[in-house]
Amino acid sequence: MSRASILDNIRRNKPSLELLPEIPEYKSDSKDLLEQFKKNLSQVGGQAIEIAEKDIAKNIKEHFGPLKFIVSNDKSLNVETIDSTKITDLKEFDNLDLVVLRSGFGVAENGAVWISSNDISHRVLPFIAEHAVFIVQKNEMVSNMHEAYKRINLLETKGFGTFISGPSKTADIEQSLVIGAHGAKSLIVYLT
């Protein structure tokens, strides 16, 4: 069979176009998205703290004590950090104590925050750090993942995006829950 005849057969046997199904709107019953977010984040091992912007650095120092290796995407924080954009060898992140990242928004139904490569220099940062802190503005909260997906513009994301909810955990080994097995041992979300 020739190339031309194969292509002709494909053109003739093309299925008719069908419209994608309409996805219904899923509205949340929750009146207080912040309380729902805090409750759901707590259930997965994380912690949400309502805080004023000016108190974030102080709270980080009180909560974590003296840390040597901190990376943040927020230069306005009064916390001594290392500029991760200048690190090219990812092995240098082996001893990363804390990552502090501003998140685009939070999702109340599961206590997740959205992080994309627009927000961080290396996508490994929230997963390799000993502890993770995310900063989310209170008014940047959506009720569920349906609303979250509507907010994401993958064309504007530089190739990576993820939802993160709670610290790393697994129960694969003898069905015993282990926190920090393959990622952050703790996760705090500051709600500003």
Side-chain angles (χ1 to χ4, degrees):
M1 199 174 238
S2 73
R3 180 177 185 264
S5 64
I6 292 172
L7 291 174
D8 284 341
N9 283 337
I10 291 172
R11 283 187 201 99
R12 276 194 307 275
N13 292 312
K14 220 168 30 170
S16 60
L17 295 178
E18 294 196 26
L19 295 175
L20 292 174
E22 190 172 315
I23 298 173
E25 290 281 326
Y26 293 95
K27 296 291 181 189
S28 170
D29 297 346
S30 180
K31 304 259 186 286
D32 190 345
L33 295 181
L34 287 179
E35 285 307 311
Q36 184 184 8
F37 179 87
K38 288 193 268 187
K39 177 183 159 221
N40 289 330
L41 181 61
S42 173
Q43 288 178 342
V44 295
Q47 182 182 9
I49 300 171
E50 290 188 62
I51 193 168
E53 285 275 341
K54 64 180 179 57
D55 296 329
I56 291 174
K58 178 182 172 196
N59 192 280
I60 288 172
K61 289 173 186 169
E62 288 173 359
H63 190 86
F64 295 103
L67 298 174
K68 294 177 183 162
F69 192 0
I70 302 173
V71 169
S72 177
N73 67 349
D74 187 340
K75 303 300 180 215
S76 70
L77 290 176
N78 191 15
V79 177
E80 190 174 330
T81 62
I82 293 176
D83 186 355
S84 64
T85 61
K86 294 183 177 163
I87 294 177
T88 55
D89 182 3
L90 296 182
K91 289 180 183 176
E92 291 185 49
F93 290 125
D94 282 353
N95 297 314
L96 181 59
D97 294 315
L98 175 66
V99 64
V100 182
L101 301 171
R102 285 207 179 262
S103 169
F105 61 92
V107 185
E109 82 171 342
N110 57 11
V113 295
W114 169 252
I115 295 292
S116 78
S117 49
N118 297 353
D119 305 315
I120 53 179
S121 57
H122 300 285
R123 63 175 147 191
V124 71
L125 291 176
F127 308 107
I128 200 168
E130 243 354 85
H131 305 279
V133 169
F134 298 100
I135 303 168
V136 179
Q137 292 180 353
K138 291 180 190 179
N139 62 347
E140 295 294 331
M141 193 67 56
V142 297
S143 64
N144 56 43
M145 291 301 287
H146 297 280
E147 290 179 28
Y149 283 121
K150 287 180 182 178
R151 289 236 4 219
I152 298 169
N153 184 343
L154 293 178
L155 297 176
E156 291 177 5
T157 300
K158 296 181 208 167
F160 170 77
T162 189
F163 289 97
I164 298 175
S165 180
S168 160
K169 56 197 140 313
T170 185
D172 290 346
I173 302 165
E174 298 181 10
Q175 297 180 4
S176 177
L177 182 63
V178 177
I179 303 289
H182 48 359
K185 291 180 183 175
S186 71
L187 184 138
I188 296 175
V189 176
Y190 289 126
L191 299 166
T192 61

